[in-house]
Amino acid sequence: MGWLTVLLAAWLAGCAIEPLHDGPARDEQATAQVLRAIYEDALPAMPLDKQRHYAQRLYRISGDARYLEPLEAHGRLLLKQLGRDIAGLETPGFAAARTREVMANYPQRTARQRARGAMLAEWGEIAFGRQLLFRLIQADYYGLLDTLPEHERALDYLASLEWQRFLTDPEVMRIYAAQVANQAHFLHQLGIVDLRDDMEAAFQSVYPADAVSALSERDYRNRLYGMTHMVIADSRYYQRRVSAEQHAWILAAFRTEIERILDEATEDIMAEVALSFLLAGLESDPTVARIRRHLMQAVDPRSGIIPSPDGDTDLERGEHRNVLAIMVLGWPGQLHAGPDLSRRLHQPREVPAGQGMRQRKSHVAVLENV
């Protein structure tokens, strides 16, 4: 830990760690390096899903092979899970049983999670379908989908679900707009159905531009979160650039509302707003600069990370927020697809105990912060 203490002390003293840039850009890079050092020191003790979430993002902005180990572990787990579900779909009643299992394991710690769980309970097998959809898209991102025998069975099953009704339902949108955006893009990317326009039209009906000023803080955050995920999901989660023209209405809204965003959004959402511009190739947009300044000011000098809105500095609970800040502050301007694990993972296998990063069970939380 000694090297990390020195690094953090250097940052706290205002020293440049790697003076690759001048002025604010240098300070942003230095802050990103401190956050990265803290998290990479702690990451091996975190659950597999946190390791996966962090490593995917850092791989996609760096292409660094050091992040492959947790992604390979995730790929092996996906192959095992999908192999079970694809085979199981041949059996009548399997999907209904898996739906009950998913709902029994759905997190209930917060009011928001309880509201989402209650909503999903009203939509039959959508609860299982959204988990299966997420796992298939992850396998596709890793180049593993074609290594799964009979994976078309899972695609056919997903095509049978009522996605159009679900993804355009106003109450579903009000509870979790980000997942609605994700799922519309995932369904399109897998060639199942294209509901992106339907989803956006439903979103704009639920959140008309002339009513935004009257939204509560909770509803305003949900709206922002949904808009950022329309951009991020389109990028295949940081694997490619997106069209600024296609998402012009979203970016224009963020520019207009930047004062309210800085006042009411969480740092997670602010970072995703900035990433929406970065993915569209608009790094010089003033909105990005303002959010970068805010994120730097939000770093707690004692822990060296960005705490939660209530001041929590737990590293595991703050991983989502801080990895996004690392991306925004240390943005390299180049994205890397994948990684393609198809040649590395010929057959699903378990990682022997004691090898690699420590793995812990994480249930459906994997779906909350894709």
Side-chain angles (χ1 to χ4, degrees):
M1 184 68 77
W3 64 271
L4 182 56
T5 302
V6 171
L7 189 61
L8 183 56
W11 175 78
L12 292 173
C15 298
I17 298 170
E18 284 187 17
L20 301 178
H21 305 276
D22 294 327
R26 178 197 63 195
D27 296 337
E28 291 157 6
Q29 292 285 336
T31 304
Q33 289 178 45
V34 169
L35 293 172
R36 190 168 171 176
I38 290 170
Y39 266 91
E40 295 187 11
D41 187 67
L43 202 65
M46 290 188 184
L48 173 58
D49 186 54
K50 294 293 183 182
Q51 295 182 31
R52 185 275 308 174
H53 185 272
Y54 181 94
Q56 270 185 350
R57 282 146 184 79
L58 267 293
Y59 180 86
R60 287 172 184 166
I61 64 168
S62 72
D64 194 326
R66 82 174 93 170
Y67 300 111
L68 289 176
E69 184 180 341
L71 300 184
E72 289 179 10
H74 182 227
R76 293 187 187 99
L77 179 61
L78 283 172
L79 290 173
K80 179 180 179 181
Q81 292 167 330
L82 287 169
R84 174 201 62 192
D85 286 341
I86 290 168
L89 285 170
E90 280 196 301
T91 304
F94 175 83
R98 287 285 289 115
T99 298
R100 291 191 293 272
E101 180 184 351
V102 169
M103 292 309 304
N105 288 326
Y106 199 89
Q108 299 286 317
R109 183 176 59 86
T110 68
R112 183 170 61 178
Q113 288 170 339
R114 292 190 292 273
R116 292 170 183 164
M119 175 270 291
L120 283 172
E122 299 177 359
W123 285 90
E125 292 179 9
I126 286 286
F128 166 55
R130 66 195 286 272
Q131 184 184 84
L132 181 62
L133 176 62
F134 170 78
R135 290 173 175 170
L136 287 167
I137 201 70
Q138 291 289 309
D140 187 46
Y141 289 171
Y142 290 149
L144 296 174
L145 200 57
D146 289 337
T147 72
L148 286 161
E150 301 180 326
H151 74 269
E152 294 285 345
R153 183 185 302 135
L155 300 179
D156 291 342
Y157 168 74
L158 289 176
S160 75
L161 299 180
E162 292 186 296
W163 291 109
Q164 199 278 340
R165 194 164 69 89
F166 178 72
L167 297 179
T168 59
D169 183 270
E171 291 309 307
V172 174
M173 190 76 72
R174 289 188 184 99
I175 288 174
Y176 210 177
Q179 281 295 320
V180 168
N182 282 342
Q183 288 152 19
H185 281 273
F186 294 166
L187 288 165
H188 171 255
Q189 289 164 9
L190 290 175
I192 297 170
V193 62
D194 188 357
L195 296 173
R196 294 172 299 167
D197 289 345
D198 290 359
M199 176 272 296
E200 288 199 18
F203 180 91
Q204 291 174 338
S205 177
V206 170
Y207 295 114
D210 59 2
V212 170
S213 62
L215 292 176
S216 67
E217 181 178 82
R218 182 186 67 180
D219 289 340
Y220 184 62
R221 288 177 176 180
N222 183 62
R223 171 180 167 273
L224 291 175
Y225 206 18
M227 292 163 73
T228 63
H229 279 247
M230 292 177 200
V231 178
I232 293 169
D234 185 26
S235 78
R236 299 176 68 89
Y237 271 79
Y238 315 109
Q239 295 186 74
R240 67 184 186 188
R241 299 277 187 166
V242 301
S243 164
E245 182 179 357
Q246 180 179 343
H247 299 290
W249 70 274
I250 295 174
L251 302 175
F254 291 159
R255 291 188 187 101
T256 300
E257 300 168 28
I258 185 57
E259 296 296 341
R260 187 174 182 186
I261 290 169
L262 293 172
D263 186 50
E264 293 187 24
T266 63
E267 277 75 20
D268 305 62
I269 296 173
M270 290 181 207
E272 290 192 348
V273 168
L275 285 166
S276 298
F277 286 92
L278 295 170
L279 288 167
L282 301 174
E283 185 168 359
S284 62
D285 193 285
T287 306
V288 176
R290 295 196 63 182
I291 290 173
R292 281 173 166 162
R293 284 197 299 271
H294 179 97
L295 293 175
M296 290 180 64
Q297 292 166 359
V299 175
D300 171 52
R302 293 187 178 182
S303 65
I305 69 167
I306 299 175
S308 71
D310 62 5
D312 183 8
T313 57
D314 180 84
L315 289 176
E316 184 177 318
R317 289 192 293 270
E319 180 273 332
H320 179 266
R321 175 172 56 255
N322 283 276
V323 75
L324 294 176
I326 291 168
M327 296 174 73
V328 172
L329 296 172
W331 187 255
Q334 183 177 1
L335 298 174
H336 301 264
D340 187 336
L341 302 178
S342 57
R343 294 184 179 180
R344 304 174 72 97
L345 305 180
H346 295 291
Q347 297 294 331
R349 65 178 178 84
E350 296 291 339
V351 178
Q355 285 190 14
M357 294 185 174
R358 192 175 80 186
Q359 300 175 31
R360 289 159 47 193
K361 197 173 184 180
S362 60
H363 296 300
V364 294
V366 70
L367 293 174
E368 300 304 312
N369 296 316
V370 178

